[in-house]
Each structure stands twice: as structure tokens, then as C-alpha cells.
Amino acid sequence: MDCGCAPGGWSAYCSRKLSLWDSENQHNWTIIGIDLLKVEPIQNVHLIQGDFTEKSIKLNIQQLLAGTHCCDLVLSDMSPNHSGHKDIQHYASMTLAQSALEFFIQVGKPKTGSFLCLYFVGEQESTFLEQM
């Protein structure tokens, strides 16, 4: 799952890599990309336009995960709108990172799932890393 996927680079990269790995075309994998912005269609990627932090969007994602109910990878490239103020940027990015981490805890594959996220460095960083 790619949170904050616009313009689609990471989702497209994952799709290409999984397609190469899946040489027998079993296609027993799903890539979900979500962003506030509209993203042009990407082969083998389910795109959702909306706010990842909204409950209805998270329910939509869980429906797409039906059958597996877990993700091997949650990638969060979500970034707040730039305010020009370092501390505000940090707190806003940590809120998005925390939301992605909480969702990963719910849907990440136990013991083998991976979580990767973007955040701006600041005073909440060490507390966030301790949660992981």
C-alpha cells in the first residue's frame, strides 16, 4: 500500500518489480495507492483518491484487502502542505506518519510486514521511532 502516492512513482515501481517477480502471472498480489490528488492510472494498481486519515477510506482499503487482510508493505510518502515553518511542518508530518503507522499495525503482515515512511525531523522523532 502506497499512502500519498501522487504522482505515482513508487506505485509504478512496485508494480514493475512485482510483475517481474511474478513470472507465472499468478497475480496473487495487490497494490493500493491513495492520495488526495488525482493520479493517472497505473498498471496493476488500485488507486483511491481521498484522505487516508478518513475512516471511510480506510474501510475501502480493507475491502480491497479482502481475503488477505494484511499488507506486506505499507509505504507512506504523505507530506503536509508546506508552511515554511519548521516546527509546524514537523508536527504535521508526524501526524501523518503516526496515522500510517497505526494503520500498518492493523493491516501489516505479522512478523514479516514492512513499514517505510516519510517525516520531517524534529522533537517527536524519537518517540515515534520508539513506537516502531
Side-chain angles (χ1 to χ4, degrees):
M1 183 170 68
D2 183 3
C3 307
C5 69
W10 284 114
S11 292
Y13 174 82
C14 291
S15 177
R16 284 192 306 272
K17 288 297 185 181
L18 285 171
S19 294
L20 290 171
W21 171 76
D22 186 15
S23 59
E24 297 176 11
N25 293 320
Q26 294 180 17
H27 203 75
N28 58 355
W29 45 271
T30 301
I31 299 172
I32 301 168
I34 179 167
D35 203 289
L36 290 170
L37 303 174
K38 182 172 176 44
V39 177
E40 293 299 316
I42 303 168
Q43 186 175 354
N44 301 318
V45 178
H46 297 276
L47 293 170
I48 301 170
Q49 184 176 359
D51 185 343
F52 173 77
T53 62
E54 291 182 9
K55 186 175 182 175
S56 63
I57 297 296
K58 290 180 181 179
L59 289 172
N60 190 355
I61 293 167
Q62 289 173 328
Q63 290 171 345
L64 287 171
L65 294 174
T68 61
H69 299 290
C70 62
C71 290
D72 291 301
L73 170 66
V74 171
L75 168 67
S76 175
D77 200 18
M78 294 186 288
S79 178
N81 291 329
H82 293 283
S83 68
H85 191 273
K86 182 180 175 183
D87 290 336
I88 291 173
Q89 289 294 126
H90 168 68
Y91 290 117
S93 75
M94 294 309 295
T95 298
L96 293 171
Q98 184 68 40
S99 179
L101 177 60
E102 289 169 3
F103 194 68
F104 172 73
I105 290 168
Q106 293 175 6
V107 302
K109 187 175 267 185
K111 298 186 182 184
T112 60
S114 297
F115 177 72
L116 178 67
C117 77
L118 165 91
Y119 61 85
F120 298 123
V121 176
E123 72 176 43
Q124 291 184 330
E125 178 182 17
S126 60
T127 303
F128 179 72
L129 292 175
E130 288 172 10
Q131 294 176 17
M132 295 174 40

